[in-house]
Amino acid sequence: GTCRIYGCVSVDGTLCLVMKRYAGDLAQRLDRRRDASGVRVALSLREVHAYLLQIAQSLVELHAIGIVCADLKPSNLLENDSGRLVVADFGIALLVEATLTSTASRTGSGAGTVYYMAPEQHDSEEFGKVTPKADIWAWACIAVEMLSGAVPWSGKRATEIIGCVAVKKQMPTIPPGVPDWLSALLLRCFSH
């Protein structure tokens, strides 16, 4: 469930990873889905279900060996030749025992992409260290995006999102019309 790395090489002092070439990523797929006025639209429930299952299977494998992605988002979910999603970009991946520094967490400058960051990534003093729960939060944020067509917290600045998540203890809005079973699952993923 992760991207294939063939090796690494140093080019003019820069470390470069040599990896399999992928056709695209989930963010590109979502961006291609637009209505007549150019607004992003939701994926079908069938597509959402298939993608969520693929991502969850990858997370189970990663978490079993002690890796937390800490930056799970659509642009880090690459599509392989058969259209299956694989997790990529482990630039800020954490070992389960690791935690963000309290300074970075207090200032909201913790590692990750703000739209998908769990509360503990914003403030580890208040919410505790980063664990696999951070990836579960991000997984649910990706679900919200696929179900609505819009990035979670769409229209808000980073500081507003940090305030919503870390101060007000809010979660992204689950779109109307989501089946009860999926809504309940997402609510559980957002509960800490």
Side-chain angles (χ1 to χ4, degrees):
T2 61
C3 63
R4 181 167 299 266
I5 303 294
Y6 295 117
C8 59
V9 63
S10 178
V11 178
D12 298 327
T14 301
L15 181 64
C16 301
L17 296 177
V18 180
M19 61 183 275
K20 178 183 179 356
R21 182 181 171 102
Y22 290 89
D25 59 47
L26 182 58
Q28 292 168 331
R29 177 172 291 281
L30 292 169
D31 284 340
R32 287 192 300 265
R33 300 285 299 255
R34 298 189 179 269
D35 63 17
S37 62
V39 176
R40 281 174 82 193
V41 297
L43 298 180
S44 71
L45 187 57
R46 183 176 179 207
E47 290 172 298
V48 171
H49 184 266
Y51 285 144
L52 288 178
L53 183 59
Q54 292 169 22
I55 300 164
Q57 289 169 336
S58 296
L59 291 177
V60 166
E61 293 172 11
L62 290 166
H63 295 166
I65 59 172
I67 296 173
V68 177
C69 298
D71 196 22
L72 191 67
K73 59 186 176 183
S75 61
N76 287 344
L77 296 166
L78 305 179
E79 287 187 88
N80 68 15
D81 297 334
S82 62
R84 183 176 172 78
L85 297 178
V86 296
V87 178
D89 194 351
F90 294 93
I92 62 169
L94 305 167
L95 295 177
V96 171
E97 295 80 22
T99 184
L100 297 174
T101 66
S102 59
T103 302
S105 298
R106 273 198 313 272
T107 61
S109 60
T113 303
V114 72
Y115 300 109
Y116 309 94
M117 286 172 62
E120 60 271 25
Q121 290 177 276
H122 296 295
D123 187 345
S124 62
E125 287 183 3
E126 171 74 20
F127 298 98
K129 70 179 184 174
V130 174
T131 69
K133 288 181 181 181
D135 287 342
I136 301 306
W137 175 282
W139 180 87
C141 287
I142 293 166
V144 166
E145 184 171 357
M146 289 190 293
L147 290 163
S148 68
V151 174
W153 311 108
S154 185
K156 294 191 183 300
R157 295 185 319 259
T159 53
E160 292 175 291
I161 296 170
I162 294 165
C164 288
V165 175
V167 178
K168 297 176 184 172
K169 300 180 181 174
Q170 295 175 341
M171 63 185 82
T173 303
I174 298 172
V178 172
D180 291 342
W181 66 267
L182 183 51
S183 182
L185 175 62
L186 295 177
L187 289 172
R188 184 154 181 185
C189 292
F190 289 132
S191 68
H192 269 69

